[in-house]
Amino acid sequence: GALGYRVAYQGVPGAYSEQAVLQLFNAMPVQPCPHDQFDDCFKAVERSESDFALLPFENTLGGSIHANYDLMLRYNLHIVAETQLRVRHCLLANPGVQLSEIQTVMSHPQALAQCDGYTKSHGWKSVAYHDTAASGQKIKQDCSRDVAAIASSRAAEVFGLDILDQGIEDDDNNFTRFALISKVPMAPNSDVPVKTSLVFSLEDQPGALFKAMGCFSLRGIDLLKIESRPKGPYIPCTPSSPACKQGNAMTQQVFILDILADQSEQRTKNALHNLRELASFIRVLGSYPVSQP
């Protein structure tokens, strides 16, 4: 519509996820739609209440956000774009509060961990809260003078807070990769590098992963990411697998893979056909343009 695409994100206005929505859509009209949980964002797209959802999948400091990979397997949705957001944490306080008055900082546990050195150097106490921007909202509501929040500069704008300090993270290589989720797949432009994400599971046998990787390396397809984790509840257990027979789900691994290729290319089709012969489960999450940080 005239108001732009409706894009679901997790958090409250001022959250890093909202900032990522504005960054990805840039000059295009967009309506960021806040939701409490990641699951609510998936539901909004599935029910066509939102056109897209933008969700975090990986952080350079914290690693993969597995909850969203699990939700991708639960819902029949597709990744159609990505964006890398440079996360710059700011110290926010109520208007007029001096740095010397602060005794406690409040934020999401991951943000607290990323600013741990800074917080300790001031001798402040850390208090975990469910969301970075919401911690800003809370200190505003409580009219706190001795509590500061760690959140984005946008959260300061949204809630009318002062920025006492910025770029307070211990490591400045702090990026979060967000993926745009859609009900329908979209064919990426052929003139930009394209990435395909997939999730698969293998039979327990020697050399299984080596053979699976061969499906791609033999066709000159670059791997951008590979990660393994215990199989979640959304992947069927292979009855023939010894791990399944023993009821040991921990040894049944699922692999998350990003390759530098489009799923519509013949070499990728051949690689995936080959992988299907080895895999007990395979799901392509989508092909989309590679974002440049």
PDB file of all heavy atoms in Angstrom, residues 175-187:
ATOM      1  N   PHE A 175      28.357  -7.089  14.571  1.00  0.00           N
ATOM      2  CA  PHE A 175      27.334  -7.030  13.522  1.00  0.00           C
ATOM      3  C   PHE A 175      26.296  -8.109  13.776  1.00  0.00           C
ATOM      4  O   PHE A 175      26.639  -9.198  14.232  1.00  0.00           O
ATOM      5  CB  PHE A 175      27.944  -7.285  12.133  1.00  0.00           C
ATOM      6  CG  PHE A 175      28.760  -6.147  11.608  1.00  0.00           C
ATOM      7  CD1 PHE A 175      30.108  -6.025  11.941  1.00  0.00           C
ATOM      8  CD2 PHE A 175      28.200  -5.179  10.775  1.00  0.00           C
ATOM      9  CE1 PHE A 175      30.874  -4.968  11.464  1.00  0.00           C
ATOM     10  CE2 PHE A 175      28.956  -4.118  10.301  1.00  0.00           C
ATOM     11  CZ  PHE A 175      30.295  -4.013  10.639  1.00  0.00           C
ATOM     12  N   THR A 176      25.054  -7.807  13.476  1.00  0.00           N
ATOM     13  CA  THR A 176      24.006  -8.833  13.507  1.00  0.00           C
ATOM     14  C   THR A 176      23.469  -8.971  12.088  1.00  0.00           C
ATOM     15  O   THR A 176      23.202  -7.977  11.422  1.00  0.00           O
ATOM     16  CB  THR A 176      22.866  -8.469  14.482  1.00  0.00           C
ATOM     17  OG1 THR A 176      23.412  -8.379  15.794  1.00  0.00           O
ATOM     18  CG2 THR A 176      21.774  -9.530  14.485  1.00  0.00           C
ATOM     19  N   ARG A 177      23.378 -10.245  11.646  1.00  0.00           N
ATOM     20  CA  ARG A 177      22.840 -10.518  10.317  1.00  0.00           C
ATOM     21  C   ARG A 177      21.355 -10.826  10.464  1.00  0.00           C
ATOM     22  O   ARG A 177      20.964 -11.708  11.229  1.00  0.00           O
ATOM     23  CB  ARG A 177      23.572 -11.717   9.703  1.00  0.00           C
ATOM     24  CG  ARG A 177      23.163 -12.028   8.279  1.00  0.00           C
ATOM     25  CD  ARG A 177      24.162 -12.967   7.634  1.00  0.00           C
ATOM     26  NE  ARG A 177      24.064 -14.329   8.116  1.00  0.00           N
ATOM     27  CZ  ARG A 177      23.284 -15.250   7.577  1.00  0.00           C
ATOM     28  NH1 ARG A 177      22.519 -14.978   6.548  1.00  0.00           N
ATOM     29  NH2 ARG A 177      23.265 -16.474   8.070  1.00  0.00           N
ATOM     30  N   PHE A 178      20.539 -10.044   9.760  1.00  0.00           N
ATOM     31  CA  PHE A 178      19.090 -10.224   9.778  1.00  0.00           C
ATOM     32  C   PHE A 178      18.641 -10.809   8.448  1.00  0.00           C
ATOM     33  O   PHE A 178      19.178 -10.434   7.404  1.00  0.00           O
ATOM     34  CB  PHE A 178      18.387  -8.870   9.966  1.00  0.00           C
ATOM     35  CG  PHE A 178      18.516  -8.293  11.354  1.00  0.00           C
ATOM     36  CD1 PHE A 178      19.643  -7.564  11.721  1.00  0.00           C
ATOM     37  CD2 PHE A 178      17.502  -8.469  12.289  1.00  0.00           C
ATOM     38  CE1 PHE A 178      19.758  -7.026  12.998  1.00  0.00           C
ATOM     39  CE2 PHE A 178      17.614  -7.927  13.568  1.00  0.00           C
ATOM     40  CZ  PHE A 178      18.742  -7.202  13.927  1.00  0.00           C
ATOM     41  N   ALA A 179      17.648 -11.699   8.490  1.00  0.00           N
ATOM     42  CA  ALA A 179      17.096 -12.270   7.261  1.00  0.00           C
ATOM     43  C   ALA A 179      15.648 -11.830   7.111  1.00  0.00           C
ATOM     44  O   ALA A 179      14.894 -11.779   8.084  1.00  0.00           O
ATOM     45  CB  ALA A 179      17.188 -13.788   7.298  1.00  0.00           C
ATOM     46  N   LEU A 180      15.293 -11.495   5.869  1.00  0.00           N
ATOM     47  CA  LEU A 180      13.926 -11.086   5.545  1.00  0.00           C
ATOM     48  C   LEU A 180      13.155 -12.323   5.094  1.00  0.00           C
ATOM     49  O   LEU A 180      13.567 -13.014   4.167  1.00  0.00           O
ATOM     50  CB  LEU A 180      13.932 -10.032   4.430  1.00  0.00           C
ATOM     51  CG  LEU A 180      12.587  -9.355   4.143  1.00  0.00           C
ATOM     52  CD1 LEU A 180      12.185  -8.415   5.288  1.00  0.00           C
ATOM     53  CD2 LEU A 180      12.637  -8.570   2.833  1.00  0.00           C
ATOM     54  N   ILE A 181      12.042 -12.582   5.794  1.00  0.00           N
ATOM     55  CA  ILE A 181      11.261 -13.796   5.575  1.00  0.00           C
ATOM     56  C   ILE A 181       9.965 -13.453   4.841  1.00  0.00           C
ATOM     57  O   ILE A 181       9.288 -12.499   5.208  1.00  0.00           O
ATOM     58  CB  ILE A 181      10.882 -14.432   6.941  1.00  0.00           C
ATOM     59  CG1 ILE A 181      12.076 -14.503   7.894  1.00  0.00           C
ATOM     60  CG2 ILE A 181      10.243 -15.804   6.770  1.00  0.00           C
ATOM     61  CD1 ILE A 181      13.207 -15.350   7.430  1.00  0.00           C
ATOM     62  N   SER A 182       9.652 -14.264   3.828  1.00  0.00           N
ATOM     63  CA  SER A 182       8.463 -14.015   3.007  1.00  0.00           C
ATOM     64  C   SER A 182       7.657 -15.303   2.829  1.00  0.00           C
ATOM     65  O   SER A 182       8.201 -16.404   2.945  1.00  0.00           O
ATOM     66  CB  SER A 182       8.925 -13.492   1.645  1.00  0.00           C
ATOM     67  OG  SER A 182       7.893 -13.547   0.701  1.00  0.00           O
ATOM     68  N   LYS A 183       6.378 -15.141   2.519  1.00  0.00           N
ATOM     69  CA  LYS A 183       5.516 -16.301   2.259  1.00  0.00           C
ATOM     70  C   LYS A 183       5.844 -16.925   0.900  1.00  0.00           C
ATOM     71  O   LYS A 183       5.679 -18.120   0.705  1.00  0.00           O
ATOM     72  CB  LYS A 183       4.055 -15.830   2.265  1.00  0.00           C
ATOM     73  CG  LYS A 183       3.088 -16.851   2.800  1.00  0.00           C
ATOM     74  CD  LYS A 183       1.719 -16.220   2.991  1.00  0.00           C
ATOM     75  CE  LYS A 183       0.720 -17.267   3.423  1.00  0.00           C
ATOM     76  NZ  LYS A 183      -0.579 -16.691   3.725  1.00  0.00           N
ATOM     77  N   VAL A 184       6.280 -16.059  -0.027  1.00  0.00           N
ATOM     78  CA  VAL A 184       6.621 -16.559  -1.373  1.00  0.00           C
ATOM     79  C   VAL A 184       8.103 -16.314  -1.660  1.00  0.00           C
ATOM     80  O   VAL A 184       8.631 -15.263  -1.321  1.00  0.00           O
ATOM     81  CB  VAL A 184       5.753 -15.887  -2.476  1.00  0.00           C
ATOM     82  CG1 VAL A 184       4.350 -16.433  -2.461  1.00  0.00           C
ATOM     83  CG2 VAL A 184       5.741 -14.381  -2.334  1.00  0.00           C
ATOM     84  N   PRO A 185       8.766 -17.299  -2.266  1.00  0.00           N
ATOM     85  CA  PRO A 185      10.172 -17.078  -2.619  1.00  0.00           C
ATOM     86  C   PRO A 185      10.285 -16.001  -3.696  1.00  0.00           C
ATOM     87  O   PRO A 185       9.337 -15.796  -4.462  1.00  0.00           O
ATOM     88  CB  PRO A 185      10.639 -18.439  -3.143  1.00  0.00           C
ATOM     89  CG  PRO A 185       9.408 -19.205  -3.472  1.00  0.00           C
ATOM     90  CD  PRO A 185       8.265 -18.614  -2.704  1.00  0.00           C
ATOM     91  N   MET A 186      11.404 -15.288  -3.740  1.00  0.00           N
ATOM     92  CA  MET A 186      11.612 -14.258  -4.767  1.00  0.00           C
ATOM     93  C   MET A 186      12.927 -14.565  -5.473  1.00  0.00           C
ATOM     94  O   MET A 186      13.937 -14.785  -4.808  1.00  0.00           O
ATOM     95  CB  MET A 186      11.670 -12.870  -4.114  1.00  0.00           C
ATOM     96  CG  MET A 186      10.300 -12.403  -3.632  1.00  0.00           C
ATOM     97  SD  MET A 186      10.395 -11.236  -2.261  1.00  0.00           S
ATOM     98  CE  MET A 186      10.721  -9.730  -3.119  1.00  0.00           C
ATOM     99  N   ALA A 187      12.901 -14.599  -6.801  1.00  0.00           N
ATOM    100  CA  ALA A 187      14.128 -14.897  -7.555  1.00  0.00           C
ATOM    101  C   ALA A 187      15.083 -13.714  -7.445  1.00  0.00           C
ATOM    102  O   ALA A 187      14.719 -12.594  -7.794  1.00  0.00           O
ATOM    103  CB  ALA A 187      13.788 -15.169  -9.010  1.00  0.00           C
TER     104      ALA A 187
END
